[in-house]
C-alpha cells in the first residue's frame, strides 16, 4: 500500500495523473495532445534560385558555445553518445594497426564497415551488398556526390517544403535550382504534385528525407514510399534518399527505406552515423545504384579517401559494441525528451500555435502566430542565451517566416525548461505587436 501511494504521489507531482474527489486517480489529459499540427501547406512553394541563408553560419558556430542553450542545431547531447567507448576502440585499433592506422582508407572505403552497413540494411528492407556501398565523410558528402553525379548546374531538383537547410545550401552552392513540394504532416510529400512535376519533365532529380524529416519529423508511409519509387522509375528520374534519422523511431519496427522498393536502380541511398554515434567522426555512406561508378570517381577526386581509424571504430561498434542496445536507449530518451519539450511549449507559448508530433528522431517543428518573424526571434533568443533554428533556413525561397525548429536531443533539465519559458515570452510579445 505505501509503495502504491508513493507511486500515485510521484505521478501526480509529475502531472501525469490527477485526483478526483471520492473517485480516485485518473490519467490527466496532456495539453500537448490537444495542440494541432503545423500547417506547412499554407505556404505556396515556387521554383526558386534559393534564398539567402544568413543565420546559418551563426547557427552552426553557436553549437560549440557552452553559454548558449542548444535548441538550434539538430544534434543529440554528447552525453547520450558512446564517445568514450568509441575513443577506446579507436585507441586499441591505433595500437594494433601501427603505421597502417595513419594511412589512407581509399574509396570505396573500409570493407569491414561496408559489410556491417550492408548487414544492417536488411533491417531497412534493402539487402545491400558490401560492394553496393561507398563510405563517405558524413551524409553531407554522400548528398553532394549524389547531386553532382545526377545533375548539371542549372538543373532543377525536387525537394520537400520545408527541407533540411544543408540540402538547400548545397543546391545553391552547386548552382542547382529547387522545386519545393509541400509536405503534409500525416502523409509526407504531396504525391500528385510530384507526379505533375515529373510528367512535365520539370526536374532532373528528387532529393527527399524519407524517415523523420528534418525539420517536420514526417515519416512517409510505406504505400507512399512505394508509389514515389514507382513514379521515379516510370519517369527515369533519380531519387536521392537521405535516411539519416531512419534508426531513430520512437516505437515499433525500424521504418523501411525508399531504396527497399527500388527494383531498377533509381534510388540513391545516403546516410551516416552523425545522429546516433559520433557526428565528429564524419562517417557516412552512399549506395549509388546505377550511378555507383560515377560516384566512386567523384569521391576519389573530391576527397580520395576517408579517415581510417574513425571508419574502423564505427565498424567495430556496429559489430561488437552493442549498437542495437544503444539505439534502444536513444529511442526511449528521444521519445521522452520530445514529449517533455512539447508539453513545455504548449504551456508557455501563446494559443493557436501548431506543433509537430514526430514518431521518431529528436526535432520539433513549430508554427507560431503569423505576426512573429522567426529570424528576429532567432536574434532575440540568441541575445537571451538560447539558440534556435528559424524557419526560413528550411526553405529555398525564404518562406516559413513564422516557423521555428527546436532540438530535443538534450536531456530535459531546468535550464532547458527555463529557456522554453523565455521563448514563450518572446513569442507572446512579438505576436501582440
Ligand atoms: C537530413 C540531414 N541530412 C544530412 C545531415 C548532415 O549529416 P552529416 O553530419 O552526416 O554530414 C543532417 C544533419 O543535420 C541532416 O539533418
Amino acid at each position: 500500500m505505501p509503495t502504491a501511494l508513493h507511486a500515485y504521489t510521484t505521478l501526480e507531482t509529475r502531472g501525469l495523473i490527477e485526483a478526483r474527489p471520492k473517485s480516485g486517480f485518473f490519467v490527466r489529459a496532456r495539453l500537448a495532445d490537444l495542440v494541432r499540427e503545423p500547417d506547412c501547406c499554407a505556404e505556396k512553394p515556387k521554383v526558386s534560385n534559393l534564398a539567402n541563408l544568413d543565420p546559418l553560419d551563426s547557427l552552426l558556430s553557436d553549437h560549440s558555445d557552452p553559454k548558449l542553450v542548444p535548441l538550434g542545431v539538430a544534434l543529440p547531447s554528447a552525453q547520450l553518445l558512446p564517445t568514450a567507448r568509441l575513443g577506446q576502440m579507436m585507441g586499441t585499433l591505433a595500437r594494433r594497426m601501427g603505421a597502417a592506422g595513419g594511412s589512407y582508407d581509399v574509396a570505396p572505403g573500409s570493407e569491414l564497415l561496408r559489410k556491417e552497413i550492408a548487414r544492417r540494411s536488411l533491417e531497412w528492407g534493402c539487402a545491400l551488398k558490401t560492394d553496393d556501398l561507398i563510405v563517405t565523410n558524413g551524409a553531407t558528402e554522400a548528398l553532394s556526390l549524389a547531386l553532382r553525379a545526377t545533375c548539371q548546374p542549372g538543373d532543377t531538383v525536387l525537394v520537400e517544403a520545408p527541407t533540411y537547410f544543408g540540402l538547400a545550401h548545397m543546391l545553391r552552392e552547386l548552382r542547382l535550382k529547387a522545386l519545393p513540394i509541400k509536405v503534409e504532416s500525416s502523409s509526407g510529400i504531396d504525391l500528385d504534385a510530384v507526379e505533375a512535376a515529373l510528367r512535365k519533365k520539370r526536374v532532373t532529380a528528387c532529393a527527399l528525407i524519407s524517415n523523420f524529416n528534418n525539420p517536420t519529423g514526417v515519416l512517409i508511409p510505406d504505400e507512399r514510399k512505394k508509389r514515389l519509387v514507382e513514379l521515379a522509375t516510370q519517369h527515369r528520374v533519380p531519387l536521392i534518399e537521405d535516411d539519416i534519422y531512419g534508426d531513430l523511431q520512437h516505437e515499433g519496427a525500424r521504418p523501411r527505406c525508399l531504396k527497399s522498393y527500388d527494383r531498377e536502380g533509381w534510388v540513391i541511398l545516403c546516410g551516416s552515423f552523425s545522429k546516433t554515434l559520433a557526428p565528429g567522426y564524419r562517417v557516412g555512406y552512399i549506395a549509388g545504384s546505377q550511378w555507383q561508378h560515377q560516384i566512386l570517381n567523384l569521391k576519389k577526386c573530391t576527397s580520395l579517401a576517408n579517415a581510417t581509424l574513425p571508419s574502423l571504430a564505427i565498424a567495430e561498434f556496429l559489430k561488437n559494441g552493442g549498437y542495437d542496445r544503444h539505439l534502444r536507449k536513444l529511442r526511449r530518451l528521444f521519445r521522452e525528451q520530445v514529449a517533455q519539450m512539447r508539453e513545455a511549449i504548449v504551456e508557455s507559448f501563446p494559443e493557436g500555435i501548431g506543433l509537430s508530433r514526430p514518431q521518431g528522431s529528436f526535432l520539433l517543428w513549430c508554427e507560431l502566430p503569423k505576426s512573429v518573424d522567426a529570424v528576429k526571434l532567432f536574434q532575440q533568443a540568441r541575445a537571451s542565451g538560447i539558440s534556435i533554428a528559424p524557419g526560413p533556413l528550411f526553405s529555398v525561397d525564404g518562406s516559413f517566416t513564422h516557423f521555428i525548429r527546436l532540438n530535443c536531443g538534450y536531456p530535459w533539465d531546468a535550464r532547458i525548461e527555463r529557456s522554453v519559458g523565455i521563448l514563450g515570452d518572446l513569442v507572446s510579445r512579438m505576436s501582440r505587436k
Side-chain angles (χ1 to χ4, degrees), residues 74 137-140 143 164 209 214 242 244-245 272 274-275 279 282:
N137 290 294
T140 303
L143 289 170
Y164 166 52
I209 304 162
N214 174 5
D242 181 349
I244 193 167
Y245 296 102
S272 86
S274 290
K275 310 296 172 181
R282 309 304 302 132

Side-chain angles (χ1 to χ4, degrees), residues 60 73-75 136-143 163-167 170 208-215 242-245 270-275 278-280 282-285 361-363 394 405:
L60 294 177
V73 172
L75 278 180
T136 58
N137 290 294
T140 303
E141 191 186 32
L143 289 170
T163 192
Y164 166 52
F165 57 62
L167 177 62
M170 195 180 289
L208 306 178
I209 304 162
S210 45
N211 296 316
F212 317 123
N213 171 297
N214 174 5
D242 181 349
D243 187 36
I244 193 167
Y245 296 102
C270 304
S272 86
F273 297 95
S274 290
K275 310 296 172 181
R282 309 304 302 132
V283 177
Y285 52 88
S361 181
F362 48 87
L363 301 171
F394 302 91
R405 187 199 68 188

